[in-house]
Amino acid sequence: MIPSENFASKAVREAVGSVFMHKYSEGYPFKRYYEGNYNIDDLEELAKTRAAELFSIPDDWSVNVQALSGSPANLAVYLGLLKPGDTIMGMYLPDGGHLSHGWSYEPKEKQNPAELKYEGGSRKVNVTSQFYRSVQYKTDPETQLLDYDVIEKIALDEKPKLIVTGGTAYPREIDYRRMKAIAEKAGAYYLADIAHEAGLVSAGVNASPVGIADVVTFTTHKTLRASRGAIILGRSELMKQIDRAVFPGLQGGPHNHSIAGIAVGLHEAMQPEFKVYAQQVVTNAQTLAKALAEHNFSIVSGGTDKHLVLIDLTGKGVFGRKYARALDYAGIIANMNTMPQETRPPADPSALRVGTPWITTRGLKEEHMWQIADWMNRVMEQVAGYDSELEFEDFDKRAASDKELAGIADEVRSLCKKYPLEI
Ligand code: DSN
């Protein structure tokens, strides 16, 4: 139930394991540095054409399918459009942003919750904070939503060269038109990173930033359910520089087998059944959020518009790290996560993140979300009874031999057997 994961079809997996893995093809279609690339040229063109069609790009936009994954895709956009030292502005990582949106921090820094701008710290853990100056916007402390007036004020004060939206744990839709207007006022490029929701956007279940933002990046293996990789869509006049940043700026030969898997996955996402799947992903996540709330779990932002649910565990006494491990012993794989107004360390944060892309691929529907919420509640009730002072290693040992958790794992296994992964 990790929201950034999915299970790709046999056809996608066969494409990734195909002979396309053997060929070097530095360059772009029909302009390669190596001979023997006729089939590779056709393959890359096919992937680009399918991406353009699926995401309905305007005539003056173009596509790059060579970036190896989401972080390299974002880095290519920065390398193509910015100079080292320019200011980028993204969402604060603990509120749900992404490392590649300029993350750095100061160890043991106490955050002032009322301060909605974050200027980073000396630990420039991501390359994007080493090469660029980074300022970040936080979510509103009350609503846990983006506050566009605050973002506008920060943008006008800081005059970033590029503003980026998107991330890994923000469960709500983003107002792309408002963000573009803010970027224009501040004189910034606007990059919409839709890695998490690309499949939902392609299916029309979530709004699309294509044609609104200047550039759109996304990974291809999350809700989009293709193979691992990334796609960059953007205004053609900018894509010239971004293409050069991908190759030769950051990479050598593209991973043609990944591009093959992407081309197959894009074809699958064009089928009517994928739209049904994408809608069910969101319906399942919304049902899960509702069912968890009925078990007195606090849901960040009160719900979800997408495929993921962020659970605030501060009222439960068992936080993300221990709860995720206990769920694992009960057959439910999720991940610990930070949350808005986070006060705990990233390695032992306050929240748990769950998602529905993979379980929906299995065929699970609303009634199963109630069952899963019930299991998650039973796990919480069980481990809330442990001594709260237990160190993680001792907690782990106790959970590993907990018969209640093992019993839930048996129930999970029998549901999974009824809904095998066989697309
Ligand atoms: N690692 C991804 C996630 O889990 O959200 C983002 O890159």
Side-chain angles (χ1 to χ4, degrees):
M1 294 186 69
I2 290 171
S4 46
E5 295 179 359
N6 210 331
F7 184 85
S9 71
K10 189 156 183 274
V12 167
R13 301 195 312 272
E14 281 176 351
V16 174
S18 70
V19 292
F20 281 119
M21 75 172 71
H22 301 124
K23 192 73 189 94
Y24 258 118
S25 52
E26 287 176 15
Y28 285 102
F30 313 109
K31 282 176 268 169
R32 306 284 187 181
Y33 288 79
Y34 295 77
E35 299 307 319
N37 272 307
Y38 344 98
N39 295 327
I40 301 286
D41 286 343
D42 289 348
L43 169 73
E44 189 169 333
E45 281 297 301
L46 181 66
K48 288 170 71 171
T49 307
R50 286 181 178 174
E53 192 184 325
L54 181 63
F55 286 88
S56 306
I57 66 169
D59 291 344
D60 58 350
W61 278 46
S62 54
V63 184
N64 185 302
V65 294
Q66 289 197 8
L68 299 179
S69 203
S71 293
N74 288 341
L75 193 54
V77 176
Y78 305 153
L79 184 65
L81 302 184
L82 309 178
K83 293 200 172 46
D86 281 351
T87 301
I88 58 175
M89 182 173 144
M91 185 180 185
Y92 182 54
L93 181 73
D95 283 14
H98 189 255
L99 288 164
S100 66
H101 299 178
W103 181 239
S104 68
Y105 71 100
E106 194 60 48
K108 304 205 185 320
E109 184 178 30
K110 285 269 173 289
Q111 285 296 311
N112 172 4
E115 176 57 76
L116 298 182
K117 179 170 84 175
Y118 182 67
E119 292 183 77
S122 59
R123 290 273 174 94
K124 305 219 177 282
V125 287
N126 191 271
V127 64
T128 56
S129 63
Q130 285 181 30
F131 290 179
Y132 305 100
R133 177 177 169 266
S134 168
V135 287
Q136 303 204 308
Y137 49 89
K138 295 185 187 173
T139 50
D140 179 85
E142 294 298 317
T143 62
Q144 301 175 318
L145 302 175
L146 295 179
D147 181 331
Y148 296 98
D149 292 337
V150 167
I151 295 172
E152 179 166 322
K153 184 170 181 329
I154 299 172
L156 295 180
D157 288 347
E158 296 289 340
K159 291 273 184 295
K161 275 279 177 57
L162 181 143
I163 298 178
V164 51
T165 57
T168 61
Y170 186 67
R172 297 300 187 167
E173 293 233 48
I174 291 170
D175 185 343
Y176 298 121
R177 288 190 189 282
R178 179 78 200 269
M179 287 303 304
K180 172 63 178 168
I182 293 170
E184 264 179 4
K185 257 194 188 171
Y189 294 114
Y190 174 31
L191 164 63
D193 176 346
I194 57 164
H196 264 258
E197 53 280 271
L200 310 179
V201 169
S202 76
V205 174
N206 275 184
S208 175
V210 173
I212 299 170
D214 295 300
V215 186
V216 176
T217 55
F218 53 93
T219 45
T220 41
H221 48 275
K222 298 186 173 90
T223 49
L224 189 54
R225 211 168 63 180
S227 53
R228 288 192 99 102
I231 294 180
I232 308 173
L233 311 172
R235 292 202 281 122
S236 300
E237 60 185 290
L238 305 178
M239 288 301 287
K240 286 195 186 81
Q241 295 141 252
I242 294 169
D243 285 344
R244 277 197 293 272
V246 173
F247 173 83
L250 290 167
Q251 297 176 188
H255 290 186
N256 297 307
H257 56 302
S258 297
I259 294 173
I262 290 169
V264 174
L266 291 169
H267 174 75
E268 291 175 355
M270 288 168 169
Q271 308 312 310
E273 20 329 344
F274 189 84
K275 291 195 191 333
V276 176
Y277 162 75
Q279 180 57 62
Q280 189 66 49
V281 166
V282 175
T283 304
N284 281 350
Q286 290 173 336
T287 308
L288 184 63
K290 194 163 167 239
L292 287 165
E294 290 203 5
H295 284 297
N296 290 323
F297 282 96
S298 171
I299 308 300
V300 170
S301 85
T304 183
D305 302 328
K306 306 201 292 199
H307 60 300
L308 68 88
V309 180
L310 190 61
I311 310 170
D312 169 1
L313 298 168
T314 50
K316 291 286 189 185
V318 179
F319 295 101
R321 187 180 182 208
K322 286 181 175 174
Y323 187 40
R325 182 57 57 88
L327 286 167
D328 190 346
Y329 287 120
I332 296 172
I333 309 294
N335 69 272
M336 60 180 171
N337 220 95
T338 55
M339 57 169 281
Q341 304 287 298
E342 184 60 76
T343 54
R344 297 176 59 82
D348 189 8
S350 302
L352 185 94
R353 188 182 70 151
V354 281
T356 53
W358 185 315
I359 56 174
T360 307
T361 294
R362 274 186 181 279
L364 301 192
K365 298 242 163 53
E366 290 93 313
E367 72 259 31
H368 307 114
M369 302 305 117
W370 292 93
Q371 172 66 78
I372 290 169
D374 186 52
W375 283 326
M376 290 178 71
N377 185 49
R378 278 167 60 196
V379 172
M380 177 53 84
E381 284 182 343
Q382 180 67 8
V383 296
Y386 295 6
D387 177 357
S388 61
E389 299 298 313
L390 281 182
E391 292 296 333
F392 181 75
E393 288 65 28
D394 296 326
F395 176 95
D396 186 30
K397 270 194 209 132
R398 178 148 179 207
S401 58
D402 189 315
K403 292 205 168 27
E404 171 70 10
L405 301 186
I408 296 170
D410 287 340
E411 293 175 39
V412 171
R413 199 172 293 111
S414 40
L415 177 68
C416 289
K417 279 190 178 150
K418 278 194 221 148
Y419 292 89
L421 284 161
E422 50 186 23
I423 57 166

